[in-house]
Amino acid sequence: MPPSLARQLYADESGATAIEYALIAGLMALVCVAAFSQLGGVVKAFYTVTTTLVDAAV
């Protein structure tokens, strides 16, 4: 007796790799957004201090 369509679809793993890569890419994007958000405050503070020092020197 041939396997049913449901069993064939359940056993098919051809799309699993693509889904795994999509999850990894999404996680990496989330980490980048969080890092850039945290880094933004540091960069803003750096430019504020630099602007203050340049204004004082001129």
Side-chain angles (χ1 to χ4, degrees), residues 34-49:
F36 292 148
S37 295
Q38 293 295 321
L39 188 62
V42 174
V43 172
K44 183 177 179 181
F46 171 77
Y47 280 113
T48 302
V49 169

Side-chain angles (χ1 to χ4, degrees), residues 4 14 18 29 38 41 45 54 56 58:
S4 68
S14 62
Q38 293 295 321
V54 169
V58 175

Side-chain angles (χ1 to χ4, degrees), residues 22-38:
L23 289 172
I24 291 170
L27 181 61
M28 288 175 61
L30 183 66
V31 167
C32 287
V33 167
F36 292 148
S37 295
Q38 293 295 321

